[in-house]
Amino acid sequence: MSQIRIALDEVQQIAENIRVCNINLEDVLDYVCQLMNGLRTVWVSEGSEELIARFNAFSRRFTDESETIESYAAFLDYTVASYATHESAIKANAANFN
């Protein structure tokens, strides 16, 4: 029989760490967006406008990816909650066999 071992507290901590990294990543990407849009003050040309427009179109993906990362953290939370609930139910049902 294969074994399943899960350290629920550690999985929960990893989910939290992922969220912290995601927030930090969002902050950095927001800063990069500010820098890119700030180019308008030092570089005025059709080329710079095209570059900024393409970057801004690309940067919309940041939100999508942030939501994906959050969904991974939420899945880990769900996994922890599910294992904890099922383990409690198994223990309670096993106690009925005494």
Side-chain angles (χ1 to χ4, degrees), residues 4 15 33 39 47 49 54 66 76-77 79:
I4 297 175
C33 287
L39 279 173
E49 287 304 314
R54 286 179 180 257
S66 177
L76 293 177
D77 289 337
T79 299

Side-chain angles (χ1 to χ4, degrees), residues 42-80:
V42 296
W43 181 14
V44 179
S45 73
E46 288 180 19
S48 70
E49 287 304 314
E50 179 66 21
L51 175 70
I52 292 166
R54 286 179 180 257
F55 179 82
N56 285 333
F58 166 74
S59 71
R60 292 183 190 107
R61 294 175 54 192
F62 298 165
T63 301
D64 295 340
E65 297 306 325
S66 177
E67 290 169 0
T68 300
I69 292 169
E70 173 53 34
S71 72
Y72 286 124
F75 175 78
L76 293 177
D77 289 337
Y78 174 78
T79 299
V80 168

Side-chain angles (χ1 to χ4, degrees), residues 85-97:
T85 299
H86 288 100
E87 185 65 20
S88 295
I90 290 169
K91 286 179 183 177
N93 289 335
N96 290 334
F97 287 107

Side-chain angles (χ1 to χ4, degrees), residues 15-54:
E16 184 57 31
N17 290 346
I18 288 171
R19 284 192 176 92
V20 169
C21 289
N22 196 29
I23 290 168
N24 291 338
L25 182 58
E26 288 173 354
D27 290 344
V28 169
L29 294 173
D30 286 344
Y31 181 64
V32 170
C33 287
Q34 290 173 12
L35 291 173
M36 286 298 293
N37 287 303
L39 279 173
R40 287 187 169 101
T41 63
V42 296
W43 181 14
V44 179
S45 73
E46 288 180 19
S48 70
E49 287 304 314
E50 179 66 21
L51 175 70
I52 292 166
R54 286 179 180 257

